[in-house]
Amino acid sequence: MQVRYVHHEDYQFCYSFRGRSGHKPSILMLHGFSAHKDMWLSVVKFLPKNLHLVCVDMPGHEGTTRSSLDDLSIDGQVKRIHQFVECLKLNKKPFHLIGTSMGGHVAGVYAAYYPSDVCSLCLVCPAGLQYSTDNQFVQRLKELQDSAAIQKIPLIPSTPEEMSEMLQLCSYVRFKVPQQILQGLVDVRIPHNSFYRKLFLEIVSEKSRYSLHQNMDKIKVPTQIIWGKQDQVLDVSGADILAKSIANCQVELLENCGHSVVMERPRKTAKLIIDFLASVHNTDNNKKLN
């Protein structure tokens, strides 16, 4: 993957890419909250070399501009990603859009707002859905909001212990991470924590929290949902909510897998994506032959 920068007015996007656009759709990948474009590398290595892949740093993350004036709501992020797409002329022909968690929230709303840009969609345990009952994680968040203990958001660790708790929350597999490594992981994040807090409060605000839910019936392209059955952050029943609202929808539930699907099951995720693209595009080809 080569790293590049592109500008929209005074706003900088950082992205990595491999291959170039050809007869197969390009693939744009949107990462989750507090991650960055490199989180996709574990999946990318299992994807065919002839695909044109683009992984972008989401607004305020890694090499993409972080500005106090930026609109970090889901709508604001969708507009930013659209600017990025236009800068690269990625939508010259419709592309395949993949997003996970917060990136899945943005990807789903993007497909609803810009239907002609997207030929197919893959949502990996996306945020943005309204559940009839809250899971433990959401209950805990609501308690924190009520008590104004916003320094204690479980996804924004500031000590090695909190880092360890976050890894356990996000992953089904329990690995023992040495204290030194945990400290290193936290040290990298601490300078960004005030931004992460601001972003987190924005995406769980009334304006953004259920954006995907409110727009899912506008998604008309073939859609694949991938979800870990043991996801403790966003409950797997979200897959069913989406499947009921999106007409052309395939659901893949992964056993013994938590919220970090991309990290926990990269080979399986890549295979599901490849198979889905083949099924969508081969039916397109068959239609042309009839």
Side-chain angles (χ1 to χ4, degrees), residues 150-165:
I150 217 60
Q151 302 304 315
K152 289 273 171 268
I153 299 167
L155 297 177
I156 308 176
S158 50
T159 66
E161 294 69 34
E162 289 173 1
M163 189 73 213
S164 176
E165 276 177 31

Side-chain angles (χ1 to χ4, degrees), residues 106-138:
V106 173
V109 176
Y110 190 104
Y113 286 4
Y114 302 105
S116 60
D117 280 14
V118 178
C119 60
S120 44
L121 179 66
C122 172
L123 303 178
V124 184
C125 50
L129 297 172
Q130 193 164 2
Y131 294 87
S132 50
T133 54
D134 293 338
N135 65 4
Q136 269 180 308
F137 171 69
V138 175

